[in-house]
Amino acid sequence: MKFSVLISAYKKDDPGFLKDALESIWDSQTLKPNEIVIVKDGELTLELDNIIDAFANKAPVVVFPLDENKGLGEALRIGVGKCQYDWIARMDSDDIAHPDRFNRQFTFLKNNPKIDVLGSLIEEFSTAITDTTAIRMVPEKHEDILKKHKLQNAVNHVTVIINKEKLLNSGNYKSMLFFEDYFLWARMMMNECKFYNLQESLVYVRVGNDMIGRRKGFFYAKKEMTFYKSLLKINFLSFSEFLKAVIFRIPLRFLPRGVLSFFYKRIIRS
């Protein structure tokens, strides 16, 4: 089962974090990818370019530069087209993969050929992966994933391995600021794709950089409303489910930072 890893890089990415992320999917992996597709989402800094160039000297890297910043959804849509293998693993430019991530996931996929999207739990950390602060839990089986996805994202994007054919048949990634992956999973579920989340943490995710702050305010609430309207339009949500999601989610964007942080830690991520 040959596979590609798809990463998008942006000029504001931290060079050290990108280096750690790339090394984690190659240097220490027990099962190495057949190619690593890096989409440069607009012009990068010299430091970032140098890290990618150095990494390309030791790993099977395919670099595709975009003339200007397109945003994550469009960058990933283009990147999918550059991946030549049947399975695509996602990875962000500041996270760290467990050394046995791909081996464990493909062992499962070989034994469960009906699964189209396979994710896992994630562990959050701020400075070192030896000092994790939280685990983001997601449901294990397809029926439970579908049920939870009606209200909140039930798949950890940076952990997934996706069947490329099923992804393309479901419309590929689309531009949907803040909700690119959430929207893709909903459309794949509508296309009868099967999901599963391994109940172990296979990716370490950095927290900080004002994550809570980016999920506050009128701008985010407006984009979230647009997203839920899109789910209603494609019939992923019934009207009553749409109202439930909007009533539960939108008011959170106007809560004080500390209260919103509590909701994310104790309720939304539980």
Side-chain angles (χ1 to χ4, degrees):
M1 299 176 75
K2 293 184 177 180
F3 69 103
S4 310
V5 175
L6 176 58
I7 300 177
S8 174
Y10 174 53
K11 66 180 180 181
K12 292 186 178 180
D13 288 340
D14 184 289
F17 294 170
L18 176 61
K19 184 174 183 292
D20 289 344
L22 292 174
E23 289 178 349
S24 77
I25 58 174
W26 184 256
D27 292 12
S28 59
Q29 280 298 316
T30 55
L31 176 64
K32 297 184 187 298
N34 299 94
E35 69 173 359
I36 300 164
V37 176
I38 303 175
V39 179
K40 294 183 178 182
D41 191 8
E43 185 177 356
L44 304 185
T45 65
L46 180 60
E47 284 183 287
L48 289 168
D49 279 331
N50 288 340
I51 285 172
I52 292 172
D53 291 343
F55 185 69
N57 288 328
K58 64 178 178 180
V61 172
V62 176
V63 178
F64 189 80
L66 302 180
D67 293 335
E68 59 183 7
N69 176 244
K70 300 287 188 180
L72 182 62
E74 180 64 7
L76 293 180
R77 184 193 69 79
I78 294 170
V80 166
K82 304 302 175 182
C83 294
Q84 62 176 312
Y85 296 109
D86 294 338
W87 292 93
I88 298 174
R90 271 287 290 121
M91 185 73 181
D92 272 354
S93 59
D94 58 352
D95 299 329
I96 297 177
H98 186 285
D100 205 33
R101 173 191 168 180
F102 301 136
N103 180 50
R104 294 185 189 184
Q105 287 183 297
F106 276 104
T107 297
F108 181 88
L109 287 171
K110 287 176 182 178
N111 294 323
N112 297 271
K114 293 184 179 180
I115 299 301
D116 303 305
V117 180
L118 178 64
S120 77
L121 311 183
I122 59 176
E123 291 195 44
E124 298 177 347
F125 73 101
S126 56
T127 55
I129 61 173
T130 54
D131 187 23
T132 55
T133 58
I135 297 176
R136 183 172 188 235
M137 306 296 294
V138 283
E140 181 178 7
K141 297 182 179 180
H142 178 83
E143 293 76 14
D144 296 323
I145 294 171
L146 175 60
K147 182 179 179 180
K148 186 170 184 177
H149 208 70
K150 299 283 186 176
L151 189 60
Q152 63 191 88
N153 198 337
V155 182
N156 289 321
H157 188 198
V158 298
T159 71
V160 295
I161 292 178
I162 315 170
N163 182 306
K164 180 183 176 182
E165 180 181 8
K166 296 296 183 65
L167 187 159
L168 291 174
N169 289 343
S170 302
N172 204 342
Y173 284 94
K174 295 181 182 294
S175 295
M176 183 66 70
L177 186 60
F178 303 126
F179 303 97
E180 297 89 352
D181 58 310
Y182 198 159
F183 192 37
L184 174 61
W185 310 145
R187 288 182 284 113
M188 293 188 74
M189 290 173 187
M190 292 289 291
N191 199 29
E192 299 185 351
C193 297
K194 298 300 180 184
F195 286 69
Y196 195 94
N197 286 318
L198 296 175
Q199 296 300 291
E200 57 181 323
S201 299
L202 296 179
V203 177
Y204 301 95
V205 174
R206 294 181 192 274
V207 294
N209 299 318
D210 198 25
M211 183 198 72
I212 296 298
R214 294 196 303 273
R215 287 163 170 76
K216 277 179 51 63
F218 177 78
F219 181 73
Y220 190 94
K222 182 179 179 181
K223 294 298 181 181
E224 192 165 32
M225 178 64 78
T226 298
F227 165 66
Y228 280 115
K229 286 181 178 178
S230 297
L231 294 187
L232 178 64
K233 185 176 181 179
I234 66 172
N235 296 318
F236 180 76
L237 296 180
S238 66
F239 187 69
S240 61
E241 290 169 337
F242 166 76
L243 288 179
K244 181 180 179 182
V246 168
I247 291 170
F248 174 70
R249 303 283 299 200
I250 300 301
L252 297 178
R253 309 308 160 197
F254 303 97
L255 293 175
R257 188 184 305 267
V259 178
L260 181 56
S261 179
F262 171 83
F263 268 88
Y264 266 92
K265 290 179 180 179
R266 299 296 179 87
I267 299 176
I268 294 180
R269 296 184 186 180
S270 62

